[in-house]
Amino acid sequence: MRTTNPSASIALTVATLAFHSSVLAVNGAQPGGYGIENATMGGTSIALPLDAEAAANNPAGFGMLPSSWTLGFQIFDGHSSAEYVLPGNELRNQQTQLVPEGGINWHLDSQWALGLSVADSGAGSNYGQTALPVPGAGKAKTTLRVMELVPAVAWTPRPDVSLGLGLNLAYQQFEADGVIVPAPVPGGLAPVPGHGTQTATGAGLRAGLMWKPSDDWTLGATVKSRTSMSKLDGYGQDLLAYSGGHLDLPAQYGVGVAWQASPQLTLAADWLRILWGGIQAMKDPNGFGWKDQPVVRLGAALKIDERWTLRAGYSHNDSQIDRSRTVQNLLVPSINNQAFTLGGSLQVDPHAQITLGYEINPRTTLNGTGASTGTSLTSKVEMFMLGYHHTF
């Protein structure tokens, strides 16, 4: 057994820098998938552990993987625009960010495995101008960065069953400026003061299981508790007053299936439900108002020969933003509801694999209704991916 590896230490050090970048994610404030290989298969992963990012998808995956470490990068390129409140008031936002990820896992013996995965998420925008011509208003922007460290252990009492349990240790950075709200004067508007970049920490749990009823089939299930975060100083006075300054991370649960249709072809599918509606901040009647969000993910991998594997996938979600809340979500235009992915892996040697991938979230528009009539949000997102996986 080897429990240390210099390259693994480098991978984890780089991965933990991820919170210095932000990403406008495609499932609310979450990316389409964790782990570059899984991400190129539409994010399918609950029953298909492919690298040491597995604990971010299903902690039981560590029991089904060889000892390994992984390092990946996703380059996020997002373009969004808004027609906001007043006719002709058009705002534009463009962001390109580099987001690292990584993990390590090893087997203590035939039944026990442990490791650490690093999961990153976030959302935001920077329009570079005020949202409306209101005196004292700052430039409209917001940034949410979240890094989740997932130390986990997996128990494999039989070769066909794995049970996993992990902690969810979260670090959060948040900044918002240029928020404009109705003023006490009828018909008036007033700016909300900015409080700069504030940080919070929190903890939760993850658990999962995997079962192989036959050599060709794998079933998986996973659950993540709500991660209670500490206060973001200053924001509890106004923007996050309804939640007392807390912006918790949502609970979620899901099931997945993977089928080895032939020695060359693997097919997988996931169903995931992200419980945005359970966060106190989302219950604010005047706030973002995100709803619970179901996500369906489909993926395929085709092994061309001993060195090359091609991957593709598709995911679809139901928007977590109600059209009547379009105005409130100007600064968090996370409206994309489908993604198409492609990728390929090259087996460099018996222990090393390099993966390249691409994801496109087509142009999507959310037109406001009710109190948001006259406001629309439009977004298009591309992701460029590079990953390295090393077994030992």
Side-chain angles (χ1 to χ4, degrees), residues 28-44:
Q30 295 187 12
Y34 294 113
I36 303 302
E37 295 174 60
N38 292 105
T40 59
M41 294 179 66
T44 52

Side-chain angles (χ1 to χ4, degrees), residues 216-234:
D216 299 335
W217 290 90
T218 304
L219 305 178
T222 185
V223 61
K224 173 187 173 185
S225 72
R226 180 173 59 86
T227 303
S228 299
M229 303 300 295
S230 59
K231 288 185 179 181
L232 293 159
D233 291 344

Side-chain angles (χ1 to χ4, degrees), residues 60-92:
F62 278 167
M64 298 288 187
L65 285 171
S67 297
S68 62
W69 64 269
T70 188
L71 175 64
F73 297 91
Q74 298 194 39
I75 300 176
F76 167 88
D77 184 41
H79 298 257
S80 63
S81 62
E83 295 287 341
Y84 189 63
V85 180
L86 301 175
N89 183 36
E90 184 172 350
L91 308 175
R92 293 189 177 276

Side-chain angles (χ1 to χ4, degrees), residues 84 86 89 130-139 178-183 187-192:
Y84 189 63
L86 301 175
N89 183 36
T130 58
L132 292 170
V134 174
K139 294 181 179 179
V179 179
I180 297 171
V181 298
L189 297 172
V192 174

